[in-house]
Amino acid sequence: MTRTARRSFLILLAFSFAYGLYIPVHPDEAYYWNWSRHLALSYFDAPPLVAYLIKLSTLFFGQTKLALKLISVVCVMLSGWIVHALAARLFDKKVAEKALIIFLLLPITQATNILTTPDVPLLLFTFLTLWFFWQWFSTQQHRYLYACALTFGLGLLAKYTMILIAPALLGFMLSKSRR
């Protein structure tokens, strides 16, 4: 990662984290925070991964707003790193830098960076699935295919819309041009 990309990345994440700690807990976040106090295999309107992540974070940092907000910052940070790494692998460092900056400035990224919702782990596991899929596709090593399947499954535990990645990847494999 270039110095400019790293600097932009860290500044934006620090700002988002500080802003996230400044604003009050959103009602949706409080709802998911309550889920973490009563873990289950599924909930009425979403899969359980966000509750598990909140539970894990609160075990280390206590029942605090920091523990709640840290999940979104870490997931977005890891997602940004994957976006940069994938763009660098597919294209070059300059494209990777632009892809990272665009990713970080997208409104959906900014929203997920300050609110802990099921979309946060969905974002992370979507990019992880794409990363492992591309690794498998370019190397044909089966360990990447297994990692792709694992991250796809974890994405389904984040939000059911993860299923939409499957036809996209299948369509890519069946296409002749494979751009």
Side-chain angles (χ1 to χ4, degrees), residues 49-165:
L49 188 60
V50 72
Y52 296 163
L53 291 175
I54 294 171
K55 181 68 168 184
L56 182 66
S57 182
T58 56
L59 286 175
F60 288 106
F61 301 104
Q63 294 290 332
T64 62
K65 193 166 146 182
L66 169 73
L68 181 66
K69 299 292 186 175
L70 191 61
I71 295 164
S72 58
V73 172
V74 168
C75 285
V76 170
M77 182 178 71
L78 292 172
S79 298
W81 179 79
I82 295 164
V83 165
H84 184 275
L86 189 58
R89 183 155 167 91
L90 291 172
F91 303 104
D92 59 27
K93 288 183 180 184
K94 204 166 214 170
V95 171
E97 187 175 304
K98 289 177 184 176
L100 174 64
I101 291 170
I102 290 169
F103 168 75
L104 291 173
L105 293 176
L106 286 172
I108 188 67
T109 306
Q110 289 303 306
T112 57
N113 204 12
I114 59 173
L115 297 175
T116 300
T117 65
D119 296 313
V120 174
L122 172 70
L123 186 69
L124 174 62
F125 288 113
T126 298
F127 286 121
L128 277 171
T129 299
L130 294 174
W131 169 258
F132 286 123
F133 177 80
W134 183 255
Q135 292 291 88
W136 168 76
F137 186 76
S138 60
T139 66
Q140 295 298 309
Q141 293 181 7
H142 292 297
R143 64 187 169 129
Y144 292 121
L145 189 59
Y146 297 136
C148 178
L150 177 67
T151 55
F152 177 75
L154 288 169
L156 285 172
L157 285 175
K159 201 167 181 182
Y160 296 131
T161 54
M162 181 70 175
I163 196 72
L164 298 174
I165 293 294

Side-chain angles (χ1 to χ4, degrees), residues 13-38:
L13 285 175
F15 173 76
S16 298
F17 186 62
Y19 181 68
L21 286 175
Y22 173 74
I23 62 173
V25 174
H26 191 271
D28 286 351
E29 288 178 305
Y31 180 56
Y32 303 128
W33 198 349
N34 193 38
W35 283 6
S36 73
R37 294 178 181 153
H38 309 282

